[in-house]
Amino acid sequence: MHIIKLGGSVITAKGRYRTFMQKATSRIIEEIAQIKDQIIIVHGGGSFGHILAHRYGIPGKLDSKKLAGFSRIHMDMLDLNSRVCSIIDDKIGPCISMPAAVMMSDFEEKASEFTYRNVLPVFFGDVYIDGERIGIISGDRIMSRLAAEFKPERAIFFTDVDGIYTSNPRTDRNAKLLKELEGDVRTSINREDVTGGMAGKIDEMRKMARSGTEVFIINGRKPERIHQIGKPFFKGTVIR
Ligand code: ATP
Ligand code: IP8
């Protein structure tokens, strides 16, 4: 099995509220369509999730203002998910939307009911209610929960940079791309969005790698690089 995350930084314009990148998303899904293996897809929130989450102070303690935000963010995420699903349905085949908000405790089990029938589950980072709190589960966390359950051969993260660098390549001209990231390598990473940005992603990737899944991060604007995996000229980062 392959589990694949479409990062919010590639499928949306992360700074412009609810701006879907249709062409970039289609290009990635066309490359994924060539994989001859069982697949689960997860996508992030980008500007459909993070902008309102900041505005409403989510995650945080449940109150009436946050409940309004909960509802709006979930609707925006459903909208993004439906746009992604319609491309998947067109280019890969039957798929099903998997909102974590309504099945936080057992989404892994639900996913296997669909993969068994060759229906591709499509998860997304989502809001949820947990007692007196409104939380956010990131697409990265969903990837790591799915990996723990399904023990996939590979997990692939598409994002808007070539891989993991020694520091943020957008702010540091001297940042170097890391071909491999092993347990104890230190990078200078800040937690720039509500679910931890690149630092949160690396935490989840390390968990997945420890449990035996090969984890890759690839530039979603060059999605053909997915076919370079395992070759010496692969451009991206492998997490072991
Ligand atoms: P989303 O969380 O919305 O799904 P995403 O998964 O595509 O988005 P981000 O969480 O936005 O990705 O993380 C990608 C960003 O992380 C890059 O745009 C880059 O600026 C930033 N970043 C910070 N530190 C690093 C680093 N050491 N290496 C690579 N990127 C980094
Ligand atoms: O973009 C968070 O998921 P991520 C989604 O994978 C929301 O971090 C709702 C902000």
Side-chain angles (χ1 to χ4, degrees), residues 39 74 97 159 221:
I39 294 170
H74 183 64
S97 166
T159 185
R221 299 196 176 116

Side-chain angles (χ1 to χ4, degrees), residues 68-81:
F70 167 82
S71 170
R72 285 188 64 187
I73 294 166
H74 183 64
M75 279 191 287
D76 284 349
M77 288 306 302
L78 287 175
D79 177 15
L80 176 61
N81 180 251

Side-chain angles (χ1 to χ4, degrees), residues 5 43-46 49-50 53 73 77 125-127 136-140 193-195:
K5 184 187 174 202
H43 66 79
H50 290 278
I73 294 166
M77 288 306 302
D126 206 356
V127 278
I136 292 185
I137 179 162
S138 68
D140 302 329
D193 66 24
V194 289
T195 52

Side-chain angles (χ1 to χ4, degrees), residues 12-214:
T12 80
K14 217 162 165 173
R16 279 185 279 138
Y17 180 53
R18 288 174 50 91
T19 307
F20 181 52
M21 305 301 272
Q22 164 99 28
K23 258 206 185 136
T25 309
S26 291
R27 282 202 54 216
I28 300 177
I29 292 169
E30 277 161 14
E31 300 297 344
I32 295 173
Q34 295 175 36
I35 297 172
K36 306 267 174 282
D37 191 11
Q38 206 167 43
I39 294 170
I40 296 180
I41 291 179
V42 178
H43 66 79
S47 61
F48 286 68
H50 290 278
I51 293 178
L52 285 196
H54 268 295
R55 196 172 301 159
Y56 282 93
I58 295 175
K61 199 170 165 340
L62 194 154
D63 59 26
S64 57
K65 180 182 164 221
K66 285 195 177 55
L67 270 183
F70 167 82
S71 170
R72 285 188 64 187
I73 294 166
H74 183 64
M75 279 191 287
D76 284 349
M77 288 306 302
L78 287 175
D79 177 15
L80 176 61
N81 180 251
S82 125
R83 299 180 200 217
V84 173
C85 284
S86 83
I87 301 174
I88 294 171
D89 180 68
D90 181 38
K91 301 198 181 291
I92 303 181
C95 62
I96 175 87
S97 166
M98 303 290 287
V102 294
M103 50 177 169
M104 269 299 279
S105 58
D106 63 348
F107 63 65
E108 298 88 341
E109 196 183 313
K110 295 268 186 305
S112 51
E113 289 167 19
F114 289 106
T115 52
Y116 175 72
R117 299 263 171 229
N118 287 324
V119 175
L120 193 162
V122 187
F123 286 89
F124 51 98
D126 206 356
V127 278
Y128 64 94
I129 297 179
D130 177 19
E132 291 307 305
R133 273 188 86 253
I134 294 188
I136 292 185
I137 179 162
S138 68
D140 302 329
R141 176 74 194 123
I142 293 174
M143 287 285 284
S144 133
R145 273 183 56 174
L146 292 171
E149 173 74 16
F150 291 99
K151 310 271 181 246
E153 190 188 329
R154 284 178 180 163
I156 298 162
F157 291 74
F158 284 105
T159 185
D160 66 341
V161 286
D162 282 340
I164 298 169
Y165 287 75
T166 48
S167 57
N168 189 344
R170 301 219 176 281
T171 52
D172 180 359
R173 280 195 303 142
N174 297 318
K176 302 253 174 329
L177 179 64
L178 297 163
K179 276 178 97 64
E180 283 191 20
L181 186 67
E182 294 201 48
D184 54 355
V185 173
R186 287 196 174 277
T187 51
S188 148
I189 295 153
N190 51 21
R191 296 185 177 263
E192 51 274 290
D193 66 24
V194 289
T195 52
M198 185 53 77
K201 196 180 309 302
I202 292 174
D203 292 345
E204 298 302 340
M205 287 171 162
R206 281 182 161 146
K207 279 187 219 157
M208 297 164 81
R210 274 199 295 272
S211 65
T213 296
E214 268 194 302

